[in-house]
């Protein structure tokens, strides 16, 4: 069956490897690489035959991953990292090449071989890092944007490296080739930016109008891979072209649908990529050169990590960013495979260096999820040792924080609360670790602290000791517990309001000392049910009995633990039963010319008139002698039946004269 059998073998092995990784709570890419090792040509047993063809298909996986990244990509998001991406990345490449040259000289290689090795290890893995960030839920953070920005520039640097390195013996011949490649790149980007942004969105609008899901998927796949191939013809990276195509398509109204459709295809071809990486690993070569390989892996990991973290610090990034960047980009990337093949085909490097580079690259890729995952605990440890570290604060009042609300989490819920408090001119501060949300809070002029609310030093900056209330908006129960523990340590008396996903979490949080617990999904579902019943003309009283019964059933365990919680719930229920309605009196209303006392509204309907707007002026709690006029806007309070009776009485036309 040829390549069809090979794909079947890889998919089946990938499933087994993915299941193993899932059971071990590790990223799926590790399972895919392990699957590639098992079905590769060096391990025996069931073996993939057409390895080169699989590698070609794997390039589609890289292209589709970057195409999907382009669909989610926004130049606005990279604006904060443009300096380190455009200036810092070339510096990083040169420093890493110097590191590789030093490693080569340490191992006794010739200077050209050492320089080639420096070029091979200068690139990091876009594919591995993106998959790692996705599995860790860190896409969108400032550190992820720094890494993605640098990776994009690294991908662009593949082309000049492929041109310059083979010309080391003839530098004068390579200058003209490099200049031509730069001209082609500029021409391609010009055509895509000024032509593609006008043509592609219109094309997608026409295809979407035909309402064919299959044709839509085919169109976006053709755009991503087709433009990637055009980029390849221009002498640039195939995957880079797919990224540009995704960026162009992201400007259309169909980017979200395109992303959701392309993800399954991307993941399948991504499996082929990681499996093909595993197939390159030769266990015999690894065992025979284990000492050298481990030494090189250690030197590269430490050296590249220090280079990336130092550059991040020099370009003004603080807190967790330098550590996250250093631990995220230390690996050797997939484009190093392409560059190594060029070196092998031009007789610039030996088979031994080629095998060493591939083995080192694969090992560093495998280590990436583990090393990158250590960012949070290492950062917490560093903050415990160096408590003098300054935190980034935005828009904090010059008078300081006192008797304020601390909002732990600046997501949608936190920002909604902040907007309300800001409108009411109440003091508050947001604590958020995701820099994307920090930027959103900054644009909204919210007082914000960039930091982890579960860390004592961050809560000290937020002046939680002087806060009147702490709101914990994160849905993760473990994070909420950590925040509550730290808050209770600093301010045992402050009230805490948190969210929970179930009754067990609610009970746990109440035992932890949380004053009030909210279940957003439950409350939203109950409100939707209430609106549905209102639409079906079910009385408000009946709806309230129904919702009270559901709440009683859900919160019964809490009522047993906290008797005062039931009292609060009953007060809430009573408040829901009382409704306020505004009614404009028509000219023929029987109220016109009569007073509240004459009408005896409370006796007739049971409502209380709590306000009247007359000629634009509000009369709160009007006197019983107030005389109604046409056009008065009357506010009445009561239950549903009382308000209905009031409305019928107020709008009844005067009886015709006999």
């Amino acid at each position: 069956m040829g390549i069809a059998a090979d794909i079947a073998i890889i998919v089946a092995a990938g499933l087994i490897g993915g299941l193993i990784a899932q059971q071990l709570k590790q990223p799926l890419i590790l399972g895919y690489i392990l699957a590639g090792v098992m079905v590769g040509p060096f391990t025996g047993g069931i073996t993939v035959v057409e390895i080169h063809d699989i590698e070609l298909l794997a390039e589609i996986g890289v292209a589709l991953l970057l195409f999907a990244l382009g669909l989610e990509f926004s130049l606005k998001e990279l604006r904060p990292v443009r300096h380190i991406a455009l200036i810092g990345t070339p510096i990083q490449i040169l420093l890493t090449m110097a590191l590789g040259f030093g490693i080569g000289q340490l191992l006794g290689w010739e200077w050209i071989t050492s320089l080639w090795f420096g070029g091979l290890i200068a690139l990091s893995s876009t594919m591995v890092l993106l998959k790692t960030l996705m599995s860790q839920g860190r896409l969108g953070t400032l550190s992820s944007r720094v890494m993605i920005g640098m990776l994009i520039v690294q991908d662009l640097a593949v082309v000049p490296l492929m041109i310059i390195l083979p010309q080391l013996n003839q530098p004068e011949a390579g200058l003209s080739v490099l200049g031509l490649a730069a001209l082609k790149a500029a021409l391609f980007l010009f055509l895509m930016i000024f032509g593609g942004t006008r043509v592609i969105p219109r094309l997608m609008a026409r295809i979407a109008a035909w309402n064919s899901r299959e044709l839509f998927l085919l169109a976006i796949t053709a755009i991503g891979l087709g433009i990637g191939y055009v980029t390849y013809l221009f002498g640039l990276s195939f995957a880079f072209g797919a990224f540009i195509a995704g960026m162009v398509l992201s400007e259309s109204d169909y980017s979200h649908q395109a992303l959701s459709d392309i993800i399954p295809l991307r993941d399948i071809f991504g499996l082929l990529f990681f499996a093909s990486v595993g197939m390159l690993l030769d266990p015999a070569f690894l065992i025979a050169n284990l000492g050298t390989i481990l030494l090189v892996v250690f030197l590269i990991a430490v050296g590249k990590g220090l280079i990336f973290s130092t550059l991040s610090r020099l370009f003004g990034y603080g807190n967790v960013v330098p550590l996250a960047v250093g631990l995220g980009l230390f690996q050797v990337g997939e484009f190093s495979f392409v560059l190594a093949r060029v070196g092998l085909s031009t007789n610039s490097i030996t088979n031994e260096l080629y095998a060493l580079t591939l083995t080192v690259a694969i090992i560093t890729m495998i280590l990436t999820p583990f090393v990158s995952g250590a960012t949070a605990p290492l950062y917490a440890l560093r903050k415990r040792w160096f408590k003098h570290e300054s935190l980034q604060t935005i828009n904090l009042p010059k008078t300081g924080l006192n008797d304020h609300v601390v909002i732990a989490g600046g997501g949608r819920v936190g920002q909604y609360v902040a907007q309300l408090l800001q409108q009411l001119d109440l003091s508050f501060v947001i604590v958020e670790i995701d820099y994307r949300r920090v930027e959103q809070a900054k644009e909204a002029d919210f007082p914000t602290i960039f930091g982890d609310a579960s860390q004592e030093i961050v809560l000290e900056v937020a002046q939680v000791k002087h806060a009147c209330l702490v709101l914990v908006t994160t849905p993760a129960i473990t994070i909420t517990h950590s925040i509550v523990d730290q808050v209770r340590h600093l301010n045992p008396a402050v009230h805490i309001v948190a969210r929970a996903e179930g009754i067990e979490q609610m009970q746990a949080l109440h035992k932890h000392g949380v004053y009030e617990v909210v279940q957003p999904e439950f409350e939203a579902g109950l409100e939707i049910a209430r609106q549905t019943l209102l639409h079906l003309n079910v009385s408000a009283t009946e709806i309230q009995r129904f919702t009270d019964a559901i709440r009683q059933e859900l919160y019964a365990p809490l009522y047993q633990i906290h008797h005062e919680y039931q009292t609060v719930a009953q007060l809430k229920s009573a408040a829901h039963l009382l409704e306020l309605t505004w009614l404009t009196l028509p000219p023929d209303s029987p109220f016109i010319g009569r007073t509240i006392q004459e009408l005896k509204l409370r006796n007739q309907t049971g409502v209380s008139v709590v306000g009247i707007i007359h000629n634009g002026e509000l009369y709160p709690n009007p006197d019983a002698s107030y005389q109604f006029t046409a056009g008065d806007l009357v506010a009445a309070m009561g239950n549903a039946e009382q308000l209905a009776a009031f409305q019928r009485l107020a709008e009844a036309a005067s009886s015709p004269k006999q």
Side-chain angles (χ1 to χ4, degrees), residues 114-382:
S114 301
L115 199 56
W116 259 96
F117 184 70
L120 293 173
I121 69 170
L123 308 173
S124 301
S125 176
T126 304
M127 189 79 166
V128 171
L129 182 74
L130 285 178
K131 278 291 187 180
T132 300
L133 292 176
M134 288 177 189
S135 65
Q136 295 174 350
R138 289 168 51 200
L139 273 178
T141 61
L142 177 61
S143 58
S144 72
R145 280 186 282 171
V146 170
M147 288 186 275
I148 291 172
M150 299 185 79
L151 285 169
I152 291 171
V153 178
Q154 281 188 0
D155 292 344
L156 287 172
V158 172
V159 177
L161 286 175
M162 290 174 62
I163 296 171
I164 294 173
L165 290 177
Q167 302 293 332
L168 287 176
N169 294 328
Q170 300 176 346
E172 65 283 351
L175 293 177
S176 59
V177 178
L178 182 60
L180 180 60
L183 182 62
K184 288 181 179 180
L187 178 61
F188 171 76
L189 291 175
F190 176 82
L191 292 175
M192 286 301 301
I193 293 174
F194 292 98
T197 52
R198 291 167 174 79
V199 175
I200 292 179
R202 293 180 182 177
L203 175 64
M204 293 307 303
R206 176 65 62 88
I207 294 174
W210 292 335
N211 201 26
S212 172
R213 186 73 176 266
E214 294 84 359
L215 192 59
F216 187 85
L217 175 61
L218 181 61
I220 59 176
T221 307
I223 288 173
L225 300 182
I227 293 178
Y229 181 68
V230 172
T231 317
Y232 171 76
L233 295 179
F234 266 79
L236 298 171
S237 165
F238 178 71
F240 175 71
F243 173 76
I244 297 297
M247 279 185 58
V248 172
L249 190 56
S250 69
E251 300 299 321
S252 73
D253 297 330
Y254 307 98
S255 59
H256 297 294
Q257 183 62 44
L259 180 62
S260 64
D261 285 352
I262 205 69
I263 283 177
L265 195 62
R266 175 201 70 185
D267 291 341
I268 290 296
F269 278 95
L271 163 63
L272 295 179
F273 167 78
F274 288 109
S276 69
V277 169
M279 291 179 204
L280 297 174
L281 183 63
D282 183 357
F285 179 83
L286 174 62
I287 295 173
N289 300 273
L290 185 60
T292 302
I293 291 172
L294 292 179
L295 174 63
V296 172
V297 167
F298 175 78
L299 293 175
I300 290 175
V302 174
K304 287 187 71 173
L306 289 175
I307 290 172
F308 277 108
S309 59
T310 303
L311 283 174
S312 300
R313 178 70 68 177
L314 291 177
F315 275 83
Y317 297 98
N319 296 311
V320 74
V321 175
L323 182 63
V325 173
L327 296 180
L329 295 179
F330 74 93
Q331 77 285 129
V332 180
E334 58 272 2
F335 284 119
S336 299
F337 302 157
V338 179
L339 191 58
R341 288 195 190 102
V342 172
L344 198 62
S345 63
T346 58
N347 296 320
S348 300
I349 63 174
T350 62
N351 288 321
E352 288 75 15
L353 180 59
Y354 178 79
L356 176 66
T357 302
L358 296 187
T359 305
V360 168
I362 294 170
I363 292 175
T364 55
M365 286 181 179
I366 293 174
L367 291 175
T368 297
F370 301 103
V371 176
S372 179
T375 300
L378 287 178
Y379 182 58
L381 183 63
R382 191 181 74 177

Side-chain angles (χ1 to χ4, degrees), residues 630-650:
D632 278 354
L633 191 59
V634 183
M637 178 173 285
N639 62 31
E641 287 79 4
Q642 293 169 342
L643 292 173
F646 171 75
Q647 185 170 358
R648 287 194 300 269
L649 182 62

Side-chain angles (χ1 to χ4, degrees), residues 107 110 145 165 222 265 298 323 397 452 528 534 591 628:
L107 296 176
E110 296 182 358
R145 280 186 282 171
L165 290 177
L265 195 62
F298 175 78
L323 182 63
D452 185 354
I528 291 174
L534 283 173
F591 285 17
F628 291 108

Side-chain angles (χ1 to χ4, degrees), residues 259-583:
L259 180 62
S260 64
D261 285 352
I262 205 69
I263 283 177
L265 195 62
R266 175 201 70 185
D267 291 341
I268 290 296
F269 278 95
L271 163 63
L272 295 179
F273 167 78
F274 288 109
S276 69
V277 169
M279 291 179 204
L280 297 174
L281 183 63
D282 183 357
F285 179 83
L286 174 62
I287 295 173
N289 300 273
L290 185 60
T292 302
I293 291 172
L294 292 179
L295 174 63
V296 172
V297 167
F298 175 78
L299 293 175
I300 290 175
V302 174
K304 287 187 71 173
L306 289 175
I307 290 172
F308 277 108
S309 59
T310 303
L311 283 174
S312 300
R313 178 70 68 177
L314 291 177
F315 275 83
Y317 297 98
N319 296 311
V320 74
V321 175
L323 182 63
V325 173
L327 296 180
L329 295 179
F330 74 93
Q331 77 285 129
V332 180
E334 58 272 2
F335 284 119
S336 299
F337 302 157
V338 179
L339 191 58
R341 288 195 190 102
V342 172
L344 198 62
S345 63
T346 58
N347 296 320
S348 300
I349 63 174
T350 62
N351 288 321
E352 288 75 15
L353 180 59
Y354 178 79
L356 176 66
T357 302
L358 296 187
T359 305
V360 168
I362 294 170
I363 292 175
T364 55
M365 286 181 179
I366 293 174
L367 291 175
T368 297
F370 301 103
V371 176
S372 179
T375 300
L378 287 178
Y379 182 58
L381 183 63
R382 191 181 74 177
K383 287 196 294 185
R384 193 174 299 120
W385 288 348
F386 303 99
K387 293 190 176 182
H388 62 275
E389 178 182 19
S390 61
L391 295 170
Q392 183 177 354
T393 58
I394 301 167
N395 299 326
L396 293 190
K398 295 180 180 179
T399 56
L401 295 168
N402 188 47
D403 197 27
H404 59 292
V405 179
V406 177
I407 305 174
R412 288 191 298 269
V413 176
Q415 292 195 29
Y416 290 153
V417 175
Q419 186 176 7
L420 175 62
L421 295 177
Q422 189 180 59
Q423 291 175 354
L424 296 175
D425 199 25
L426 296 173
S427 179
F428 69 93
V429 63
I430 295 176
V431 180
E432 177 56 58
I433 190 63
D434 187 335
Y435 204 83
R436 177 178 55 180
R437 293 172 178 170
V438 171
E439 288 292 310
Q440 293 172 353
K442 181 179 179 180
E443 292 177 2
D445 202 29
F446 295 150
T448 308
I449 296 172
F450 177 42
D452 185 354
S454 64
Q455 300 298 322
E456 182 177 342
I457 185 173
V458 178
L459 293 176
E460 288 177 350
V461 175
Q463 292 295 314
V464 76
K465 292 181 180 179
H466 306 293
C468 63
L469 182 67
V470 176
L471 306 180
V472 185
T473 65
T474 175
I477 186 67
T478 54
I479 298 176
T480 302
H481 276 170
S482 300
I483 296 174
V484 171
D485 288 340
Q486 293 296 340
V487 171
R488 281 279 166 255
H489 174 67
L490 295 172
N491 189 348
V494 70
H495 282 179
I496 303 174
V497 178
R499 62 187 287 185
E501 302 300 324
I503 191 65
E504 294 82 7
Q505 291 188 9
M506 294 180 68
Q507 292 176 347
L509 289 174
H510 273 289
K511 291 178 180 178
H512 243 65
V514 177
Y515 175 74
E516 179 73 76
V517 181
V518 179
Q519 282 189 269
E521 290 78 7
F522 169 75
E523 297 295 339
L526 208 57
E527 178 62 21
I528 291 174
R530 194 178 77 87
Q531 294 292 338
T532 302
L533 295 176
L534 283 173
H535 183 75
L536 297 174
N537 297 320
V538 179
S539 69
T541 305
E542 190 65 25
I543 294 172
Q544 193 60 44
R545 289 198 194 100
F546 169 73
T547 55
D548 284 349
I550 294 179
R551 278 199 174 91
Q552 182 72 27
E553 182 180 354
L554 176 70
Y555 295 124
L558 290 180
Y559 296 156
Q560 297 170 6
I561 299 173
H562 301 276
H563 297 291
E564 71 277 6
Y565 197 88
Q566 185 172 10
T567 303
V568 173
Q570 291 172 344
L571 291 174
K572 288 180 179 178
S573 175
H576 284 304
L577 287 173
L578 288 175
E579 298 183 11
L580 177 69
T581 189
W582 289 85
L583 179 67

